[in-house]
Amino acid sequence: MTLLAETVRRIDTLVAQAQATGRTPSLALGVVRDGALVHLAAAGDHPRPDPDLQYRVGSITKTMTATLLLGERDAGRLTLDDPLERHLPGTAVGGLTLRQLLGHASGLHREPDGPWWERTEGTDLATLVAGVTTDKVGYPAWRGYHYSNLAYGLLGGVLERVTGTPWAQLLSTRILDPLGLRRTTYHPTAPYAPGYVVHPWHDTLREEPRTDTGAMAPAGQLWSTVTDLARWAAFLADPDPEVLAADTLTEMCTPVILSDLDSWRGGHGLGLELYREGDRVYVGHGGSMPGYVAALTVHRPSRTAVVGYANSYGFRTGHIGGLSRQLLTLVLDAEPTPVTPWRPAAAPPPAELAELTGRWWWMGIEYEVRADPAGELWAGRPGEPTLRFTRTGPDRWRGRSGEEDSEVLAVLRDPDGRAVGLDIGTFVFTRTPDQEP
């Protein structure tokens, strides 16, 4: 899929303007649709961006750390409500749960004690754990949103203790190698863009150090490219089940806590930031390390995303994050995803499925039930079949979407075996509005 020429022109203009006003040496934004990078908008020439040029991704690293942790949960080696102490003993905050830490709902302070970890060589895990005291908790868990890099350093330690494998090795084995992210690395690998601070008065550049952050690496160590980050965005839109189950990724996108209580436009899931833009909700994450900022914004329903980097710390996360959301909205508004054409079914549904279709009534309100070729039932108000049910046994179905998610649908039959009612969580639907439930 390619973008229309007018869409490309508008994107390129916005990126060029952002590079000029943001005074950043190098700016790259990539548009992803249906799993492929379809356009790279580049501006600046220090160095000139290309799809294979590495930048530091900063806190986008957290999305991969969270994916690893959810994978361990799915494998039965931990639960999200486990206290930290169960897997990483020795801290003074061991009562905090993994879920609270993942969602920045623990009340834990933002940074570990000591020199600014992003700009100095890191310590080992034992030193990080020993330095976490009760003073690092600002307020009780769930009282509010408070972003914590320290939380993800500790979660990386949990992964290491649970698996017996260093975080970086686990990341390569479980995520980078299976998804083919060959230019996503722990240390920079040429070609890469140096990171800078731009002097506010005379526009000179100060190059920033490229540190090994040690035990804090799970919070922000990684380097990547537009091509690789586009692949990661595609995974977040439509995951490879060999890496993470689709239902689990959807769970990661479910709000844990609101980060914006004034307008409810921002929240945090399990390792993913949530952004509300009009009627759409985007997922992703921002990133910053000294000399670098990055953005990852995904609209999962349309499998469309924008990823981006700049190599100037002054081009702050809010700027590049806001730009990525602006470009994503532009693409979705200008080029909506194609409507899937209706096609006739190859054959009627089986009799036991067909008899459940048609009109049903509850409390004088009309509903309809349809069958699809996959053997599932879809139900809802006429013309709005948004509730999906999957068969789990004879005359029993399980809700898989909407307000009936996880609820049981039981088919009620008369003495002659005819289906005369649908019992959904004690709400009984009948064939005519005259029948009592």
Side-chain angles (χ1 to χ4, degrees):
M1 177 182 290
T2 59
L3 298 180
L4 299 174
E6 176 59 17
T7 306
V8 169
R9 185 195 67 78
R10 293 173 64 190
I11 290 172
D12 289 347
T13 298
L14 288 169
V15 170
Q17 290 171 342
Q19 186 271 338
T21 59
R23 298 160 63 243
T24 187
S26 176
L27 177 61
L29 277 295
V31 179
V32 184
R33 299 210 86 169
D34 290 330
L37 179 66
V38 296
H39 181 64
L40 173 65
D45 56 8
H46 207 82
R48 182 67 182 171
D50 68 57
D52 194 49
L53 182 69
Q54 274 193 340
Y55 298 79
R56 207 160 195 177
V57 306
S59 288
I60 294 172
T61 301
K62 292 180 175 70
T63 65
M64 296 187 181
T65 298
T67 298
L68 290 173
L69 201 76
L70 268 293
E72 291 302 303
R73 192 284 307 272
D74 286 357
R77 287 184 276 271
L78 53 83
T79 76
L80 297 186
D81 294 314
D82 286 348
L84 179 65
E85 181 74 16
R86 181 171 299 172
H87 305 289
L88 192 65
T91 76
V93 298
L96 301 177
T97 70
L98 306 186
R99 186 187 306 275
Q100 292 162 356
L101 295 168
L102 279 166
H104 301 292
S106 69
L108 196 64
H109 281 179
R110 187 179 62 245
E111 316 295 357
D113 287 341
W116 184 19
W117 68 272
E118 294 181 356
R119 208 170 183 272
T120 55
E121 292 299 310
T123 61
D124 60 16
L125 180 59
T127 303
L128 177 67
V129 168
V132 180
T133 67
T134 54
D135 291 339
K136 299 305 290 181
V137 178
Y139 44 75
W142 301 120
R143 197 183 84 177
Y145 170 84
H146 188 75
Y147 190 86
S148 177
N149 287 306
L150 175 57
Y152 274 76
L154 297 175
L155 290 172
V158 168
L159 284 166
E160 186 168 320
R161 294 289 174 82
V162 168
T163 65
T165 304
W167 172 83
Q169 182 181 337
L170 190 69
L171 179 73
S172 294
T173 302
R174 301 279 181 83
I175 294 178
L176 304 184
D177 292 345
L179 296 182
L181 305 182
R182 296 176 182 83
R183 288 281 289 150
T184 302
T185 57
Y186 188 94
H187 293 292
T189 305
Y192 61 84
Y196 298 106
V197 170
V198 179
H199 195 282
W201 311 132
H202 48 65
D203 288 349
T204 57
L205 303 179
R206 183 187 77 212
E207 188 170 347
E208 287 295 287
R210 294 178 284 277
T211 54
D212 181 342
T213 57
M216 287 294 292
Q221 174 68 30
L222 294 178
W223 297 73
S224 192
T225 65
V226 171
T227 296
D228 271 16
L229 198 56
R231 289 176 180 154
W232 182 240
F235 172 84
L236 294 178
D238 186 13
D240 179 346
E242 295 299 317
V243 175
L244 193 71
D247 285 348
T248 300
L249 188 46
T250 298
E251 181 184 0
M252 292 175 67
C253 300
T254 301
V256 171
I257 197 165
L258 287 174
S259 57
D260 173 12
L261 291 176
D262 294 325
S263 62
W264 290 28
R265 293 186 62 190
H268 211 286
L270 297 170
L272 289 168
E273 294 175 342
L274 313 174
Y275 322 101
R276 185 174 184 85
E277 297 286 332
D279 292 333
R280 301 185 183 108
V281 175
Y282 302 153
V283 304
H285 215 288
S288 71
M289 289 291 279
Y292 302 91
V293 292
L296 165 68
T297 309
V298 182
H299 185 239
R300 300 193 72 215
S302 66
R303 302 177 67 213
T304 307
V306 171
V307 300
Y309 302 105
N311 65 335
S312 169
Y313 197 64
F315 197 87
R316 295 308 303 270
T317 306
H319 192 172
I320 196 169
L323 178 60
S324 71
R325 294 190 290 276
Q326 180 184 9
L327 297 185
L328 181 52
T329 300
L330 187 162
V331 171
L332 293 175
D333 287 347
E335 304 187 31
T337 53
V339 176
T340 302
W342 174 86
R343 292 185 174 88
E352 65 271 19
L353 192 61
E355 70 170 331
L356 304 182
T357 62
R359 294 285 189 262
W360 294 87
W361 296 82
W362 176 79
M363 301 299 287
I365 302 172
E366 185 181 17
Y367 288 79
E368 66 180 22
V369 174
R370 295 171 177 265
D372 75 2
E376 295 183 324
L377 291 177
W378 288 86
R381 299 296 297 275
E384 301 175 359
T386 58
L387 306 175
R388 178 168 67 98
F389 293 88
T390 300
R391 189 171 183 172
T392 59
D395 284 344
R396 291 183 71 82
W397 301 74
R398 180 76 67 176
R400 297 301 183 193
S401 66
E403 63 185 4
E404 304 301 346
D405 191 19
S406 84
E407 297 287 351
V408 173
L409 183 158
V411 180
L412 307 180
R413 297 186 179 276
D414 66 12
D416 295 325
R418 292 175 298 188
V420 294
L422 303 178
D423 183 333
I424 306 177
T426 75
F427 293 0
V428 176
F429 294 71
T430 57
R431 273 302 188 185
T432 76
D434 300 316
Q435 293 174 278
E436 291 189 14

